[in-house]
Amino acid sequence: MDETAQALRDRLHGTLIAAAATPMTATGEVDPDVVTRYLAGLVEDGAGALAVLAHTGRGPYLPPATRATVIERAVATGVPVLVGVGGGPARDDPGEQARVAAALGAAGVLVFPEEGDRLARHEHVWRAARLPMIAFDLYTRPCPPETLRDLLAHPGVAGLKTALLSDAMGCQLAIALTRDADRLAITGEDRMFGPSLLWGAQAALVGIAAAHVGLTAAVLRAFEGTDLRAFHEASARLDRLAAATFTAPMEGYVQRMLWLAAAEGRIPAAHAADPYGPPLPGGERAAVLGALAAGRA
């Protein structure tokens, strides 16, 4: 493993990495000051690192100038920043995105899964910027085990985020392969958060921390402690919130998390839109906010 990848692996061990949303209006406008306040709030409330422009942050849809602004504001918080690269139109070169992220002070990149040769894509990103990479096993494009082994052997890969949603066996295998390769096993399993820690995940990079970050951090703290009841209670509260936000249509979770962020006062309501997600049925916002209120009670 390259020494920069090893350093990132060690730096993120045990860390809650918030998969930040990108606050925007219904027409896709992003206000840098809103982004600054939002990201700073996530860090203040328990995130030890930030992942921006990833799946939750709608990174593949955003233009270069907006991406650069979000990266700058995230780096200014002072915590390690991972930047999502790839996953967008063919004209968006993930290698160039990685170079920009490196120049702006990012600690690493999260490489979106795409069709084609995944190992070649990671090598391209690595050669372009020499920035440590987190591989990404996502439910929309799960990675075959043999490909995972190849990715985890790449010197620039510091860890693997698994976000397989409902595939418990796939998650367990991915965590085991990652640890066997001496890389950082990162859970992205919002609906299997507690179990994935029990299965060996060593850090968390989750979209549910785009809003209710304090509760997510509480689960991690309880897991690291000795109070089993505290871990059970915090996990149960988080599971109830995840059941209301990470549900069909699954891509609607970004909008649901933005609603929560607005309800918590993290962002203005006018900047709690996801123009890239599916339409959600009437009454859904009320149900999501009801789950938040129940969790607080």
Side-chain angles (χ1 to χ4, degrees):
M1 190 190 323
D2 185 87
E3 61 181 13
T4 61
Q6 183 174 339
L8 184 64
R9 177 201 65 185
D10 296 344
R11 189 178 186 187
L12 295 180
H13 193 281
T15 298
L16 171 59
I17 309 157
T22 303
M24 65 182 80
T25 67
T27 56
E29 297 175 48
V30 176
D31 183 325
D33 292 336
V34 172
V35 172
T36 294
R37 291 192 296 272
Y38 167 65
L39 296 177
L42 295 181
V43 173
E44 182 179 348
D45 289 346
L50 296 170
V52 298
L53 305 172
H55 196 208
T56 308
R58 296 304 194 205
Y61 301 100
L62 301 181
T66 301
R67 288 177 56 89
T69 296
V70 172
I71 296 169
E72 289 172 342
R73 299 306 172 101
V75 170
T77 65
V79 301
V81 174
L82 303 177
V83 176
V85 299
R91 65 178 181 275
D92 293 337
D93 176 14
E96 176 59 26
Q97 291 176 337
R99 279 192 289 268
V100 171
L104 294 175
V109 292
L110 179 70
V111 183
F112 273 86
E114 299 182 58
E115 294 297 335
D117 190 333
R118 299 193 192 203
L119 184 60
R121 186 169 297 106
H122 282 70
E123 177 65 13
H124 170 67
V125 171
W126 175 244
R127 288 183 176 274
R130 292 283 169 172
L131 202 57
M133 300 177 291
I134 303 298
F136 193 3
D137 195 11
L138 183 63
Y139 66 92
T140 57
R141 236 179 227 114
C143 192
E146 57 274 16
T147 304
L148 278 181
R149 290 187 178 92
D150 290 341
L151 290 176
L152 291 166
H154 191 287
V157 170
L160 170 73
K161 169 182 172 171
T162 174
L164 296 178
L165 186 63
S166 59
D167 184 358
M169 291 188 294
C171 176
Q172 290 172 0
L173 177 59
I175 290 172
L177 291 175
T178 305
R179 294 187 61 138
D180 287 347
D182 200 26
R183 266 59 172 182
L184 185 67
I186 306 172
T187 179
E189 303 292 358
D190 303 88
R191 291 299 300 268
M192 299 188 290
F193 190 75
S196 65
L197 296 174
L198 296 170
W199 297 333
Q202 300 158 303
L205 198 172
V206 283
I208 202 163
H212 216 31
V213 63
L215 177 56
T216 317
V219 177
L220 271 181
R221 287 195 304 271
F223 178 72
E224 293 168 354
T226 58
D227 189 342
L228 179 60
R229 180 179 293 277
F231 175 63
H232 176 267
E233 290 178 350
S235 294
R237 290 174 60 206
L238 190 66
D239 284 346
R240 286 193 292 270
L241 186 62
T245 49
F246 287 78
T247 186
M250 192 54 59
E251 281 299 299
Y253 87 86
V254 175
Q255 177 61 80
R256 299 180 189 110
M257 294 310 302
L258 286 164
W259 285 335
L260 289 180
E264 293 176 353
R266 299 182 185 279
I267 58 176
H271 290 261
D274 176 24
Y276 306 105
L280 298 178
E284 182 126 356
R285 181 175 178 275
V288 169
L289 297 185
L292 175 63
R296 285 173 171 166

